[in-house]
Amino acid sequence: MSSGDQGAEGGAEKDVEYYYRPGGRRNDGLKAADIVNVLRERVAYLSGGRDKRGGPILTFPSHTHPERLKHEDLRRLMTYLASVPSDEVRDRGFTMILDMRGTKWETVKPVLKALQECFPGNINMAFIIKPEKFWEKQRTSLGSSKYNFETNMISLDSLNKAIEPTQLTREFDGTLEYDHEQWIQLRLMLEEFIWKALDLLDKLGELGEILTNPELPDDLNGAQLVLEEHNQLKKRVTMAPVEQLAMEGHHILQRITGEYSGSSGRRCVISGNADFQSAVPQISQLLDNLQSTKQHLNQLWSVKKMRLEQCFQLRIFEEDVEKMFEWISHNRDLFLVNYTEIGTCHQMAVELESEHCQFATSAENVYVNIERILGMAQRMCDSGHYASNTIRMEGGKLEREWKSLAAALEDRSTVLRMSVVFHKKAEQYLAQVIVWQNTCESIKIPSGIEELEDALQQHQTLIETISQTYAEVCGDGKALLDTLQTPVTSSSANSITAKADYSEAAGHVLDVVHEVLAHQRHLEQIWHGKKVKLHQRLGLRLFQQDVKQVIDWLNNHGDVFLKKNTSIGKSLQRAKALQKSHEHFESVARNTITNAEKLLAAADELAQTGECDATEIYSEARELEQRMHQFLSALQRRRNVLDMTVIFYSHVHELTNWLENLHTELQSTELADSVEGAEQLMAQFNQQRETTVEAAINTVGEGETLLEQLRY
């Protein structure tokens, strides 16, 4: 280290020492140092004892002369002693012990008067220890009614009953140890420590305010100057006498807790003093506050240093961003020269697209610098830069400006690319129109079913090709129109192309689309006409084929089944089997019957198309209708005969069973026991006879009807 650096270092240390020189905080109450001479007179003292209520005990020992003190000194002494106990203990009220042993009566009243006039605390009781052989009647001369506290003339023995001996000093036959000089010295040390600690906390607080000042320099020179000043503050933070003061605090705590015995080995006899014990939390709290405050200041200093160092980075970043803004503005002006032209044909669109690609490529090369700046901004933000929000905002603005230009370039590329595709497909469509038209207007119609089906398939393929080409042209045209009418696609409404006027280009595209649309409608019309002719011719051929299939089925299956199945069966079981077989045949024939009905319904439609021979259609329809009528009549007759047969056999079976049961009943020899019973049996018999006869007649009638049907 050079002599100059050593001198600067020494000056800095002196500055720190001067800064932390104790001062201030002397007006916050009376301290022991202010009345140390009065305290040493031992006119009164606080032993730390407590009465049975927990109130503090203030003792006026014998052989003292409070009357010799000036009134102001006595008042200050009372005020100070009243402030020593904690608030909680002080609020319970003081107990006074006035030792009159070896004292004249003339000294008691001035003390009581001083307590009445000068003691700021609440006095609960004043015990006056009377001398031995004291006249009891003398008690009445005290005039206790003049005082705002109770007085009690008491003997030493009675005092030990009123107050626990553990709370009385040895001069009152108690066990509480007390050394007045140690008490004074410890009070001086304690109050000195508290004063220094609070003063140091104030100074550290001032440093904290400086370190938390959010103001930062606006230029590079200012940032360097503030950084140098900040480095000087580091010495004030690191050299703060917290450790030295902490040693004093721990020394006081050791004296209070009795752990310190001093160089002489003599233990501090007042270590158990309750008033000092109540100060332990305050001392510990001050020590913790000092340590935490210094640690916090170190953290604040590091944070502020990082902020100041980051300030320089921020200024460089802002300068680079400004340069990029200027570059973007210049290139945007170049771009806006002819950005609404899209070409009127395929060749012109290709040329415009090529020129734009060269311009976009040259502009894209500069994006490397923008990426570098944005990367630096991201790293600054990731490292916790104090101006992260500003950096993000400026970086975001730069990125938006670039994206706006890049989006405009991309939109322009998209528009020109779509224009090239649209013009190419539109010109290809228009070139094929005459070929498609000639194909649709051809009058050659095949005769065979297979040839007609092939022709229809080819015809359908043709319209699909036409429609696909047309759909592509229209789709590309619509997409291009949508883009021209709403040119912003890859950017926001703030894009430089948001207000682009593409009306002229859109009008050209719309004209081409309308031209293609007119050709498409004409092609669809003539294509549909030929499709109808092909379908009608195919319909006629298919009708004729279907009629032939129905008649073939009737000849080969329907009529054959009815001619073959004429039996009705000789039993109920057989009749039901034939009936079920016939029902199955009917279900099979239902498909053919339905087809015949559809063919007859379709005959009128085919005849009315004009493409088929109506006479031929109606002739085949009449033949089909006659054949179906004959078949359906024979089918229904067979169904009726089988239904009648099943009914007849069923009734014959039921009647036979009935007669057998009736025959068994008639052979019974059971007779009625009375006239009424006989009459009842006769009525029952007559009813059975009538029912049997009626059933037999009905069954015979069904049989005769069935025979008539079989003869038909």
Side-chain angles (χ1 to χ4, degrees):
M1 181 182 296
S2 65
S3 59
D5 294 337
Q6 292 177 349
E9 187 73 19
E13 292 180 358
K14 290 182 179 180
D15 174 71
V16 173
E17 291 176 2
Y18 178 80
Y19 179 77
Y20 286 115
R21 185 177 62 182
R25 281 195 171 271
R26 282 299 188 182
N27 58 350
D28 55 348
L30 197 61
K31 303 300 178 185
D34 300 328
I35 58 170
V36 63
N37 293 329
V38 178
L39 288 172
R40 286 201 166 98
E41 292 290 334
R42 203 170 180 270
V43 172
Y45 65 86
L46 285 169
S47 64
R50 299 287 185 262
D51 60 23
K52 292 183 178 180
R53 302 173 303 102
I57 298 174
L58 179 61
T59 303
F60 289 83
S62 62
H63 304 294
T64 58
H65 303 281
E67 70 279 1
R68 296 178 182 178
L69 291 178
K70 295 179 181 180
H71 180 77
E72 178 61 21
D73 290 339
L74 184 61
R75 184 192 66 77
R76 297 177 74 195
L77 176 64
M78 294 296 101
T79 301
Y80 175 73
L81 292 177
S83 67
V84 170
S86 64
D87 293 341
E88 180 182 359
V89 174
R90 187 167 55 245
D91 291 343
R92 293 172 182 164
F94 284 79
T95 292
M96 305 295 183
I97 299 178
L98 283 73
D99 190 358
M100 287 181 52
R101 294 175 299 176
T103 305
K104 297 180 180 181
W105 268 108
E106 289 77 8
T107 63
V108 176
K109 289 185 178 181
V111 173
L112 294 175
K113 182 180 180 182
L115 290 175
Q116 172 76 14
E117 296 176 355
C118 303
F119 194 77
N122 177 29
I123 300 176
N124 179 66
M125 174 65 72
F127 289 111
I128 304 173
I129 302 176
K130 61 185 179 180
E132 297 178 359
K133 301 178 182 181
F134 186 75
W135 296 323
E136 188 67 26
K137 63 181 181 178
Q138 188 69 30
R139 177 193 234 171
T140 59
S141 66
L142 291 176
S144 60
S145 61
K146 297 187 299 181
Y147 308 114
N148 56 8
F149 52 86
E150 184 179 352
T151 60
N152 188 358
M153 187 75 69
I154 192 170
S155 66
L156 185 61
D157 293 338
S158 299
L159 179 65
N160 276 267
K161 295 178 182 179
I163 300 175
E164 295 292 336
T166 57
Q167 303 299 316
L168 295 173
T169 58
R170 295 184 184 278
E171 60 186 307
F172 301 115
D173 295 338
T175 61
L176 182 64
E177 295 186 356
Y178 178 76
D179 185 306
H180 191 61
E181 184 60 28
Q182 286 187 10
W183 186 92
I184 294 174
Q185 292 298 325
L186 193 54
R187 287 301 304 179
L188 290 171
M189 293 171 62
L190 174 62
E191 292 173 2
E192 178 76 8
F193 166 76
I194 293 175
W195 169 58
K196 289 181 179 179
L198 294 177
D199 182 70
L200 180 56
L201 285 174
D202 287 343
K203 289 181 170 61
L204 294 179
E206 293 174 0
L207 289 178
E209 292 178 0
I210 296 174
L211 292 175
T212 55
N213 184 0
E215 295 183 3
L216 292 170
D218 296 331
D219 54 40
L220 182 59
N221 292 332
Q224 291 175 340
L225 179 60
V226 173
L227 188 58
E228 291 175 0
E229 295 174 353
H230 185 71
N231 289 330
Q232 294 298 322
L233 286 180
K234 178 64 174 178
K235 297 184 181 299
R236 289 190 180 183
V237 174
T238 56
M239 296 178 67
V242 171
E243 289 75 13
Q244 177 183 350
L245 199 56
M247 292 177 61
E248 295 181 18
H250 287 298
H251 177 69
I252 294 172
L253 287 175
Q254 289 176 347
R255 284 179 173 271
I256 293 175
T257 58
E259 298 176 4
Y260 177 78
S261 59
S263 59
S264 63
R266 182 187 177 194
R267 187 177 63 85
C268 184
V269 299
I270 62 171
S271 60
N273 188 292
D275 293 326
F276 285 113
Q277 291 291 336
S278 65
V280 170
Q282 182 184 10
I283 297 172
S284 299
Q285 183 65 43
L286 286 172
L287 291 174
D288 292 341
N289 288 345
L290 287 170
Q291 293 290 347
S292 62
T293 301
K294 184 174 182 180
Q295 182 179 2
H296 182 58
L297 287 178
N298 277 306
Q299 295 174 351
L300 289 178
W301 185 89
S302 298
V303 172
K304 186 68 174 290
K305 183 174 185 295
M306 181 177 64
R307 288 168 64 87
L308 291 174
E309 290 174 345
Q310 291 173 345
C311 182
F312 179 69
Q313 299 174 352
L314 177 62
R315 300 300 171 243
I316 295 177
F317 168 75
E318 290 174 344
E319 181 179 353
D320 290 344
V321 168
E322 185 61 29
K323 290 180 180 179
M324 288 300 100
F325 282 151
E326 294 175 358
W327 178 87
I328 290 174
S329 176
H330 174 70
N331 281 269
R332 181 169 51 218
D333 294 339
L334 294 177
F335 169 77
L336 294 175
V337 174
N338 63 343
Y339 70 102
T340 58
E341 297 180 8
I342 67 168
T344 57
C345 65
H346 178 248
Q347 181 61 33
M348 186 179 295
V350 169
E351 292 175 358
L352 288 173
E353 184 182 33
S354 177
E355 293 174 1
H356 175 71
C357 286
Q358 294 176 3
F359 177 81
T361 301
S362 62
E364 190 72 22
N365 291 334
V366 185
Y367 182 57
V368 175
N369 293 332
I370 295 178
E371 281 187 319
R372 177 185 59 79
I373 295 172
L374 295 178
M376 179 176 66
Q378 186 61 47
R379 287 190 297 274
M380 291 166 67
C381 293
D382 292 342
S383 64
H385 197 285
Y386 76 88
S388 293
N389 292 335
T390 301
I391 294 171
R392 287 192 183 95
M393 183 174 63
E394 289 298 313
K397 182 179 178 182
L398 174 60
E399 188 173 17
R400 286 192 298 273
E401 287 293 319
W402 162 252
K403 285 184 176 180
S404 177
L405 177 60
L409 296 175
E410 180 62 26
D411 289 340
R412 176 69 172 158
S413 298
T414 301
V415 168
L416 291 176
R417 183 169 57 252
M418 296 173 69
S419 176
V420 169
V421 173
F422 168 72
H423 283 99
K424 180 179 180 180
K425 291 184 177 180
E427 291 175 6
Q428 289 176 345
Y429 179 92
L430 295 173
Q432 289 291 321
V433 167
I434 189 64
V435 178
W436 293 331
Q437 182 174 338
N438 292 336
T439 302
C440 292
E441 291 177 346
S442 175
I443 60 174
K444 182 179 180 181
I445 304 296
S447 297
I449 292 178
E450 293 184 0
E451 291 82 1
L452 286 168
E453 289 177 344
D454 291 342
L456 278 170
Q457 181 63 39
Q458 294 173 4
H459 199 58
Q460 183 63 32
T461 302
L462 175 63
I463 194 60
E464 290 175 357
T465 301
I466 296 173
S467 299
Q468 176 67 27
T469 307
Y470 169 73
E472 291 178 0
V473 174
C474 289
D476 293 339
K478 183 179 183 303
L480 181 56
L481 281 173
D482 291 341
T483 302
L484 295 176
Q485 293 168 358
T486 56
V488 179
T489 56
S490 55
S491 59
S492 67
N494 295 324
S495 169
I496 60 177
T497 59
K499 298 180 180 180
D501 183 8
Y502 284 102
S503 57
E504 182 178 351
H508 163 70
V509 174
L510 198 58
D511 291 340
V512 175
V513 171
H514 285 166
E515 181 182 1
V516 171
L517 176 61
H519 285 294
Q520 179 67 16
R521 288 177 176 174
H522 178 66
L523 288 172
E524 288 177 351
Q525 181 180 4
I526 60 177
W527 177 88
H528 183 71
K530 186 171 183 179
K531 176 186 176 183
V532 170
K533 292 179 181 180
L534 290 171
H535 272 290
Q536 289 175 346
R537 182 64 60 84
L538 180 60
L540 174 61
R541 296 294 179 260
L542 291 175
F543 175 78
Q544 292 172 342
Q545 182 180 12
D546 291 343
V547 169
K548 183 177 183 300
Q549 289 177 351
V550 171
I551 293 176
D552 288 345
W553 186 89
L554 293 176
N555 292 334
N556 299 327
H557 299 282
D559 293 343
V560 172
F561 178 84
L562 293 176
K563 290 177 181 179
K564 181 179 178 181
N565 294 276
T566 58
S567 172
I568 63 171
K570 296 182 179 181
S571 65
L572 176 60
Q573 183 177 3
R574 177 58 181 166
K576 287 184 177 181
L578 291 172
Q579 184 185 42
K580 186 174 182 181
S581 174
H582 187 75
E583 290 175 352
H584 175 70
F585 175 73
E586 284 183 333
S587 65
V588 173
R590 176 51 54 191
N591 186 47
T592 300
I593 295 171
T594 301
N595 289 338
E597 291 173 351
K598 292 180 179 179
L599 288 172
L600 292 174
D604 287 337
E605 296 180 6
L606 288 173
Q608 293 172 6
T609 60
E611 292 294 326
C612 304
D613 187 351
T615 303
E616 184 179 1
I617 290 292
Y618 285 130
S619 174
E620 294 189 9
R622 281 194 297 272
E623 180 183 357
L624 175 62
E625 186 175 12
Q626 291 174 0
R627 289 291 287 110
M628 287 303 300
H629 178 72
Q630 294 172 0
F631 171 73
L632 291 174
S633 297
L635 187 67
Q636 186 61 40
R637 283 197 303 273
R638 175 64 178 171
R639 175 59 183 260
N640 293 339
V641 168
L642 290 174
D643 291 344
M644 293 173 65
T645 301
V646 170
I647 293 172
F648 172 71
Y649 281 142
S650 297
H651 288 170
V652 169
H653 178 71
E654 293 172 358
L655 183 59
T656 301
N657 291 337
W658 168 261
L659 290 175
E660 289 177 356
N661 293 333
L662 183 60
H663 183 266
T664 302
E665 184 179 347
L666 292 176
Q667 288 181 347
S668 174
T669 58
E670 181 182 357
L671 298 175
D673 295 334
S674 62
V675 175
E676 290 80 3
E679 290 178 350
Q680 185 176 359
L681 289 174
M682 286 295 293
Q684 180 180 349
F685 174 76
N686 290 332
Q687 179 65 33
Q688 289 175 344
R689 183 185 61 184
E690 292 176 0
T691 302
T692 303
V693 172
E694 182 179 358
I697 292 172
N698 290 337
T699 302
V700 171
E702 291 173 353
E704 291 175 349
T705 303
L706 177 58
L707 288 173
E708 290 178 1
Q709 288 293 327
L710 291 174
R711 296 190 191 102
Y712 179 77

